[in-house]
Amino acid sequence: MCAARSRPRGPGHGRTRPLLALLGVLAAVPSRASAADAEPAGAAEPGGDPPSSDRPAGPPDGRAFALGVEGTILTTPPLRTRVVYVDPRFVGRSTALGGLGVFGRYRPLSFIGFDANIRTGSMRLRARDNDTTISTDQVLADLGALLYLGRGKVSQFALSGGLGGQLQRVRYELDSGLRGRQSFGAFTIRVGAEAEFLVNRVAFVLSFRTYGVVTPRKNARSQGALFEQRSGEDTYAPVATFQTYLAGSAGIAYRF
């Protein structure tokens, strides 16, 4: 009876062994495929090129150009005109001009950029006891470079410097009815600090700059009845030869 029972068990075990071996092979194939997928795509092959992250970084998001507009406040020394008396007690040591500006920037690399700026400023002084007024308008234009020292994903901070020029016109309207105007130019040097906050294709721009202004006073062009009987220093530009301006601005730019 014992021998008869043991005979059918032998063939059953023989059929099970090939089935277990087949299941082991099928289980090994997916594990090898998943291991190959887990390898990083940017890993360099032995002796191949380094990953792209090691190469010099370009502009943020690949957008190197920006065009924008801004509001500007320009602080300047007061006018030193000789044809109209201006009481320094009511003007102070500085005057503030408000205006607008346009600018363009080109940033070929993440740490350096170039910009072009045109800014305007206007101011009007009026006598307290009559209708005598003095109004002035300025246009500042310069080219510069920016060195980006802080380069975050959103915030960008840079130091800037540049060279440019200024055109200024002063108009006089006296209560007596006499009129006159003076036009003159100047050479400018500027240094400053810039901040950019990047939001997709839009950048919010803040800047604080100091301008050194050199004016050839004798080259002023004086016109009008107010200057017909005047000569010498009365016709010079009503500003100092060497001046310092402070400018602050806030603007918005489109990046492409």
Side-chain angles (χ1 to χ4, degrees), residues 75-97 122-126 133-138 166 168-172 181-184 215 217 236-240 243 245:
T75 302
T76 70
L79 296 175
R80 302 170 58 177
T81 175
R82 295 172 63 94
V83 295
V84 178
Y85 175 71
V86 179
D87 194 333
R89 295 176 299 175
F90 300 103
V91 177
R93 295 185 177 182
S94 63
T95 55
L97 289 75
S122 300
M123 181 190 65
R124 184 181 178 91
L125 300 176
R126 183 170 183 175
T133 60
I134 303 174
S135 57
T136 179
D137 299 290
Q138 296 184 7
Q166 175 202 39
Q168 184 169 354
R169 183 171 65 178
V170 182
R171 294 188 300 272
Y172 306 90
R181 65 178 180 271
Q182 291 181 290
S183 302
F184 51 92
T215 305
R217 300 182 61 234
Y236 290 0
V239 296
Q243 300 179 93
Y245 294 177

Side-chain angles (χ1 to χ4, degrees), residues 65-69 103 201-203 252-256:
F65 294 91
L67 294 175
V69 295
F103 62 90
R201 288 185 174 272
V202 175
I252 185 171
Y254 176 77
R255 302 169 57 232
F256 59 95

Side-chain angles (χ1 to χ4, degrees), residues 24-162:
V25 172
L26 294 177
V29 172
S31 64
R32 293 180 180 179
S34 61
D37 294 340
E39 295 181 359
E45 295 293 335
D49 296 332
S52 58
S53 59
D54 294 340
R55 298 172 183 173
D61 304 331
R63 300 183 176 100
F65 294 91
L67 294 175
V69 295
E70 60 187 353
T72 302
I73 296 179
L74 190 65
T75 302
T76 70
L79 296 175
R80 302 170 58 177
T81 175
R82 295 172 63 94
V83 295
V84 178
Y85 175 71
V86 179
D87 194 333
R89 295 176 299 175
F90 300 103
V91 177
R93 295 185 177 182
S94 63
T95 55
L97 289 75
L100 297 175
V102 295
F103 62 90
R105 292 186 176 181
Y106 171 57
R107 190 172 174 182
L109 299 175
S110 63
F111 63 92
I112 194 169
F114 305 93
D115 67 348
N117 305 267
I118 299 177
R119 293 179 170 182
T120 64
S122 300
M123 181 190 65
R124 184 181 178 91
L125 300 176
R126 183 170 183 175
R128 302 182 62 181
D129 53 356
N130 56 51
D131 293 333
T132 297
T133 60
I134 303 174
S135 57
T136 179
D137 299 290
Q138 296 184 7
V139 178
L140 282 170
D142 61 79
L143 300 173
L146 299 92
L147 179 62
Y148 289 87
L149 302 179
R151 303 186 296 275
K153 186 176 181 180
V154 175
S155 303
Q156 309 282 315
F157 300 95
L159 298 179
S160 67

Side-chain angles (χ1 to χ4, degrees), residues 213-238:
V213 183
V214 182
T215 305
R217 300 182 61 234
K218 295 182 179 181
N219 295 337
R221 182 181 180 185
S222 302
Q223 297 176 311
L226 184 61
F227 294 96
E228 288 181 354
Q229 305 298 326
R230 296 179 180 271
S231 61
E233 292 190 3
D234 289 349
T235 61
Y236 290 0

